[in-house]
Amino acid sequence: MVSRPRGMSSQDLIENLDTSALLKAAMMCVDEWSEALGRLRNGMLPEICRFRNWGSDFNHNQSWTVSPIMLGRARQEILYKRSPVIAAFQPLLTREVYCKTYIEFKRWLDLDEINYIAFSRLGPKGVLRAHRHMNHGCLKLHVLVEPLQKSGLMYHTVNSTGHQEKKIVHWQKKGDYRFFDDNYIHSAWNMSARNRDLVVIDFKKTALSL
């Protein structure tokens, strides 16, 4: 069980998740996600899987699109109001299209702790300006599924003294990952000449006790 000792900041906890069950499950699925990207490009996955704009509490620009992999029940209800097509993505389809993802996350975690798993695509020369979400009680895990240069993530944390610190990640190789709290300011950029494709896992903090 992952617990937070007295005096440890939430970011200290996040940065000590390298042995978490959640990360183990994600790393087992990187190859499946990478292969799925190729099938998406070639139109070999169901239409519901294609990249599209996803309603959010932040006005992302048009160069940011999402392709669903797994949606938790609670998030399906939220997305039905914002993006009915994405909300129609049922768990049965997840088991058929992303079989290993379903198996590994069910093996390591309670699936009710997962809000959603999805591809996040930022187009060439795309920038997501600094923003934060109202996502209380939840964290994000980003996993790069293809090698890429000139792309990154900026996010803020709160240390044990209560002060905010800025962190920067420069994506490089397949399997690079970062946990962060999207309730704090963060932004992303892709200065490369091709799409930046990574997998976003939005999960409840209670998943860390598993």
Side-chain angles (χ1 to χ4, degrees):
M1 176 175 179
V2 179
S3 59
R4 189 172 79 181
R6 182 172 298 177
M8 176 181 282
S9 70
S10 59
Q11 182 56 28
D12 291 332
L13 174 62
I14 290 173
E15 293 181 349
N16 282 279
L17 292 179
D18 290 345
T19 59
S20 65
L22 182 74
L23 184 60
K24 289 178 182 177
M27 291 298 104
M28 292 294 291
C29 300
V30 171
D31 286 340
E32 178 179 69
W33 296 335
S34 180
E35 292 167 4
L37 272 177
R39 297 199 301 274
L40 276 167
R41 294 188 184 110
N42 295 322
M44 298 172 63
L45 290 184
E47 192 277 338
I48 191 67
C49 295
R50 72 175 176 83
F51 282 91
R52 67 189 74 229
N53 295 117
W54 189 340
S56 175
D57 58 1
F58 167 72
N59 186 22
H60 297 82
N61 63 42
Q62 294 300 306
S63 67
W64 179 76
T65 53
V66 172
S67 171
I69 295 174
M70 179 185 292
L71 298 179
R73 286 191 293 270
R75 193 50 56 102
Q76 285 185 36
E77 295 176 1
I78 294 173
L79 289 175
Y80 184 77
K81 299 176 182 178
R82 296 176 179 167
S83 305
V85 175
I86 294 178
F89 190 82
Q90 298 298 321
L92 177 61
L93 189 55
T94 300
R95 292 196 291 270
E96 293 177 350
V97 177
Y98 297 102
C99 181
K100 189 171 184 62
T101 299
Y102 178 79
I103 290 172
E104 293 299 334
F105 277 81
K106 186 175 178 61
R107 172 189 176 192
W108 290 99
L109 299 158
D110 179 348
L111 294 183
D112 286 337
E113 304 295 325
I114 303 298
N115 293 321
Y116 67 82
I117 305 174
F119 287 111
S120 170
R121 169 170 288 178
L122 186 58
K125 310 302 180 184
V127 175
L128 293 180
R129 60 184 174 84
H131 63 286
R132 63 181 181 177
H133 297 293
M134 302 297 289
N135 196 23
H136 300 307
C138 300
L139 297 172
K140 286 282 199 304
L141 169 61
H142 281 191
V143 181
L144 191 67
V145 293
E146 289 186 334
L148 186 66
Q149 303 293 321
K150 301 180 180 180
S151 178
L153 166 72
M154 181 281 293
Y155 63 99
H156 282 79
T157 67
V158 176
N159 62 27
S160 57
T161 64
H163 293 92
Q164 288 200 18
E165 298 178 356
K166 182 168 71 174
K167 308 278 187 176
I168 296 179
V169 179
H170 294 283
W171 301 117
Q172 293 186 339
K173 64 183 184 299
K174 176 181 174 180
D176 282 352
Y177 68 89
R178 184 57 55 101
F179 288 94
F180 70 101
D181 188 335
D182 66 347
N183 290 281
Y184 296 110
I185 294 293
H186 59 286
S187 63
W189 64 92
N190 175 24
M191 296 295 102
S192 75
R194 61 189 183 88
N195 291 322
R196 181 230 63 188
D197 291 317
L198 54 77
V199 167
V200 177
I201 303 173
D202 186 297
F203 63 96
K204 300 173 184 176
K205 290 181 181 179
T206 49
L208 303 180
S209 64
L210 301 174

